[in-house]
Amino acid sequence: MVTVTVEGMERQVPRGTTYEAVIQEFQPQYNNMIALIASNGRIRELFKKINRDCTVTFFTLRDDVGHKTYVRTATMLFFKAVFDVFGEACARNCRVEFTVGNGSFVNPGEDIAPTAENAEKIKRRMTELVEAGTPFMKRTCPLDEAMDLFKRQGMKDKEKLFRYRMNSQVNIYEIEGYYDYYYGYMLPNAGYVKYFDVINYENGFMLLLPTRKKPLEVEPFREQKKLFTTLEASESWGSKIGIENVGDLNDEICKGSMSEFILMHEAEQERKIGEIAREIVSREGVKFIMIAGPSSSGKTSFSHRLSIQLRTLGKTPHPIALDDYFVNRENTPRDEKGDYNFECLEALDTKQFNDDMCRLLAGERVELPTFNFKIGKREYLGNYKQLGPDDILVLEGIHGLNDKMSYALPKESKFKIYISALTTLNIDGHNRIPTTDGRLLRRMVRDARTRGSDARRTIQMWPSVRRGEEENIFPFQEDADVMFNSALIYELAVLKQFAEPLLFQIPKEAPEYYEAKRLLKFLSYFLNVTSESLPNNSICREFVGGSCFRV
């Protein structure tokens, strides 16, 4: 017998009992399904057996690590269903490309028609596996054996990924004869995946899953056409240049041609920025460029590069940070915890902003404020502006796309740009890289370099940052005139050398340790790329340092 301590209560269980058996007593006390446990500070899957005394805590679907486990398990279940319905070759050619809202977009390849009938076939087979409670089996095998297995299955992306793996062993998952690799934890059987839907969308399928906010229901798919088109274009460009996954990137790094590749991708971004500038100039009456995007999207570098492009077209741009219109600190709203809420619209003096902008539009000379963050007050330091025929204001801030921010300005005077680091590079065809991971690593590196914040603090603050984005940015992204993807295919290989030392500093006893460990494993798939080859106007420079702009 071994002793299992849960919430201060001790239970005696036979050695070899699974964690899944232990949670049955405690599951009724939780509103959400328990997905994983931490045993003596180490995350364990539920099918693992208990062989020693331990203290256990639970992760549910409302926890980030639990939700990711659900998504991962549902994804493998999807591919198992494709394998069963359409055959091994079709499953091999399917790949998850990106997410839109609560949907993971799956490119089915050329052999499966993206029809409603085929979507229903996949869903029906998934449901059969769920109702049968079909188990997932985990096996640790030597690296060479895993490479041979996936080579036989024709999964070249996984074979290539393992070629650069430093560990000598690999964890392989299997469900009824279908083998796959996933970086992260899995649920013990298909019966846990109770909530999902499969629909056909555009040239593929959407696997719809619950969100962390509502983990026990699948909301209807909300189309975001502009976001989908932007992601699809980036995915297509990656395919065109032959880099669709981490294995492809590592191959390119090994060729020793990264300097040229970096310049090529930077040129592609510059081309897109130039196109945006030309579209702005082609519209009569545009005086305000409103730029918004989530944290660590590279908004500042983008606004500088866009300003340069506008100058080449005869315009005189003037950057303005919406943060300069913060209300004085004592008037800042507070959140439910009593902390200052700097991310809500009420934290900005929208009336003063609209008054100033309308006066500028009328040709008046206006003194604009500068917010002093040290003392928490707006100051007037002689920053006067008066708009001539070719002058244009480049406004950057999280509320830039919200019409309540610029309610008094004529619609035709505004050009809205949504910017985000929409990562389309994936680990392999079945393991997607969340866009939030790239942004979190960007912010972590920048915070350590410019603000003296350690990685633990950045991870600690990230949920709050994400909540602010979901409330104030994402609801307005489809209102943008254009979207710009600031992600660079090579950047994670550059960020790795800066992020790893920061993550290794987080102690094991810290709550942020689990996330640090996940990110370290994620970064281990990448080979290093030095930052020396980065142009000094690169968006990546905003985070690693060395930018020619004031960022």
Side-chain angles (χ1 to χ4, degrees):
M1 303 293 288
V2 293
T3 302
V4 180
T5 305
V6 182
E7 298 176 354
M9 295 178 287
E10 293 186 353
R11 295 290 185 271
Q12 297 290 315
V13 301
R15 191 182 304 273
T17 300
T18 64
Y19 290 107
E20 184 181 18
V22 172
I23 70 168
Q24 302 308 315
E25 177 187 347
F26 300 92
Q27 179 63 74
Q29 301 173 24
Y30 290 80
N31 294 327
N32 298 295
M33 186 180 77
I34 297 171
L36 294 168
I37 63 94
S39 176
N40 293 337
R42 186 175 180 183
I43 295 179
R44 293 291 192 184
E45 290 158 307
L46 297 183
F47 48 63
K48 288 285 188 179
K49 295 179 179 180
I50 307 170
N51 292 312
R52 65 183 69 179
D53 294 348
C54 58
T55 299
V56 169
T57 55
F58 300 138
F59 296 101
T60 73
L61 300 186
R62 286 296 296 266
D63 296 303
D64 186 59
V65 65
H67 182 258
K68 281 185 169 72
T69 300
Y70 189 94
V71 171
R72 201 176 292 118
T73 308
T75 302
M76 183 168 176
L77 196 63
F78 177 95
F79 285 107
K80 163 62 176 171
V82 172
F83 178 87
D84 288 350
V85 175
F86 298 104
E88 181 179 349
C90 293
R92 179 172 62 239
N93 294 328
C94 266
R95 65 180 188 271
V96 179
E97 294 192 339
F98 47 79
T99 63
V100 177
N102 66 326
S104 295
F105 179 71
V106 182
N107 183 335
E110 298 178 356
D111 300 323
I112 306 175
T115 62
E117 180 184 2
N118 284 337
E120 184 58 35
K121 287 179 181 178
I122 296 169
K123 180 180 177 180
R124 192 181 308 125
R125 180 55 183 150
M126 289 177 70
T127 302
E128 290 171 356
L129 294 164
V130 170
E131 290 176 347
T134 311
F136 288 90
M137 309 300 291
K138 183 177 183 178
R139 180 163 63 93
T140 301
C141 62
L143 184 62
D144 290 344
E145 185 180 324
M147 290 178 69
D148 287 342
L149 170 65
F150 290 119
K151 185 176 183 179
R152 289 196 302 272
Q153 291 189 182
M155 294 183 176
K156 295 181 180 179
D157 54 342
K158 296 184 189 295
E159 181 192 356
K160 186 182 293 185
L161 180 71
F162 292 155
R163 191 184 307 156
Y164 298 100
R165 189 174 172 87
M166 299 300 293
N167 293 349
S168 59
Q169 293 184 317
V170 176
N171 291 323
I172 304 296
Y173 291 94
E174 181 251 331
I175 177 171
E176 277 193 348
Y178 174 73
Y179 296 87
D180 211 339
Y181 171 77
Y182 287 86
Y183 102 95
Y185 309 102
M186 299 286 276
L187 295 168
N189 64 68
Y192 281 75
V193 187
K194 298 176 182 178
Y195 315 103
F196 66 90
D197 198 3
V198 181
I199 63 171
N200 62 309
Y201 183 75
E202 295 289 335
N203 57 335
F205 301 105
M206 282 287 182
L207 171 61
L208 304 180
L209 297 172
T211 62
R212 278 182 64 192
K213 282 186 175 180
K214 298 180 179 179
L216 302 181
E217 64 177 279
V218 180
E219 296 180 309
F221 179 64
R222 184 172 67 86
E223 187 174 50
Q224 300 176 63
K225 190 67 177 177
K226 289 177 182 175
L227 178 61
F228 179 86
T229 303
T230 303
L231 286 163
E232 192 176 42
S234 297
E235 188 78 33
S236 176
W237 188 77
S239 179
K240 189 184 299 183
I241 64 172
I243 297 184
E244 299 178 283
N245 52 59
V246 174
D248 293 335
L249 177 62
N250 287 338
D251 279 353
E252 192 70 27
I253 294 169
C254 287
K255 289 178 185 176
S257 56
M258 280 308 293
S259 294
E260 182 180 342
F261 177 80
I262 287 170
L263 291 174
M264 177 180 67
H265 197 169
E266 293 288 346
E268 171 66 6
Q269 278 204 342
E270 196 64 35
R271 180 186 68 79
K272 290 180 178 177
I273 295 171
E275 287 177 355
I276 294 171
R278 285 190 289 276
E279 185 175 348
I280 292 168
V281 172
S282 70
R283 294 196 189 183
E284 236 179 277
V286 172
K287 284 294 184 182
F288 306 99
I289 301 171
M290 318 291 287
I291 302 172
S295 174
S296 304
S297 293
K299 296 183 288 292
T300 307
S301 293
F302 170 80
S303 63
H304 282 295
R305 287 172 66 170
L306 179 63
S307 295
I308 291 170
Q309 290 287 346
L310 289 168
R311 286 193 185 99
T312 69
L313 299 172
K315 293 293 182 181
T316 305
H318 302 276
I320 293 180
L322 293 182
D323 286 359
D324 283 330
Y325 281 89
F326 270 129
V327 298
N328 291 337
R329 188 69 44 80
E330 64 269 19
N331 299 320
T332 303
R334 294 180 182 268
D335 61 20
E336 64 278 1
K337 295 180 180 179
D339 297 325
Y340 288 118
N341 186 353
F342 296 111
E343 297 181 338
C344 67
L345 184 63
E346 292 73 22
L348 295 168
D349 189 343
T350 55
K351 183 181 184 305
Q352 187 62 55
F353 170 78
N354 281 273
D355 288 349
D356 287 350
M357 297 304 112
C358 286
R359 289 174 59 203
L360 284 169
L361 199 58
E364 295 182 34
R365 187 168 182 260
V366 179
E367 185 180 11
L368 301 179
T370 299
F371 193 82
N372 186 324
F373 286 90
K374 289 184 179 180
I375 63 173
K377 291 185 182 296
R378 260 181 292 160
E379 297 176 332
Y380 287 86
L381 306 173
N383 179 21
Y384 287 93
K385 288 279 189 293
Q386 186 170 13
L387 300 185
D390 295 321
D391 288 297
I392 194 166
L393 298 180
V394 182
L395 301 147
E396 181 249 305
I398 65 171
H399 297 287
L401 303 184
N402 187 347
D403 282 331
K404 290 182 179 179
M405 180 72 217
S406 54
Y407 60 84
L409 301 181
K411 184 177 179 180
E412 63 274 11
S413 71
K414 297 183 285 187
F415 188 95
K416 298 178 180 179
I417 301 172
Y418 175 76
I419 174 175
S420 185
L422 302 168
T423 310
T424 52
L425 179 77
N426 287 323
I427 291 175
D428 59 33
H430 299 171
N431 286 273
R432 194 183 63 81
I433 297 176
T435 60
T436 52
D437 280 358
R439 292 195 294 110
L440 174 57
L441 289 165
R442 278 181 170 188
R443 178 160 177 155
M444 188 182 299
V445 171
R446 183 183 61 190
D447 283 358
R449 182 178 61 83
T450 64
R451 301 176 184 176
S453 295
D454 58 16
R456 181 178 178 181
R457 178 62 176 164
T458 303
I459 292 173
Q460 189 181 70
M461 294 294 296
W462 193 241
S464 173
V465 172
R466 297 276 290 125
R467 281 194 298 272
E469 295 167 352
E470 289 169 3
E471 292 172 7
N472 301 307
I473 299 175
F474 297 149
F476 306 102
Q477 61 188 20
E478 286 292 310
D479 297 333
D481 294 289
V482 297
M483 286 190 177
F484 179 77
N485 183 2
S486 70
L488 296 149
I489 285 181
Y490 66 81
E491 71 176 78
L492 290 167
V494 174
L495 289 169
K496 174 181 178 175
Q497 62 197 298
F498 298 95
E500 280 184 333
L502 302 173
L503 290 165
F504 275 119
Q505 292 176 33
I506 297 179
K508 189 174 182 180
E509 61 274 10
E512 296 76 23
Y513 174 77
Y514 298 122
E515 180 68 352
K517 188 176 179 182
R518 183 187 72 82
L519 291 169
L520 283 167
K521 182 178 180 182
F522 165 59
L523 289 170
S524 72
Y525 293 104
F526 294 84
L527 296 179
N528 273 323
V529 170
T530 176
S531 62
E532 292 177 1
S533 299
L534 298 185
N536 60 6
N537 69 339
S538 173
I539 285 174
C540 196
R541 286 283 183 198
E542 184 171 329
F543 306 97
V544 303
S547 177
C548 61
F549 304 123
R550 293 183 63 185
V551 293

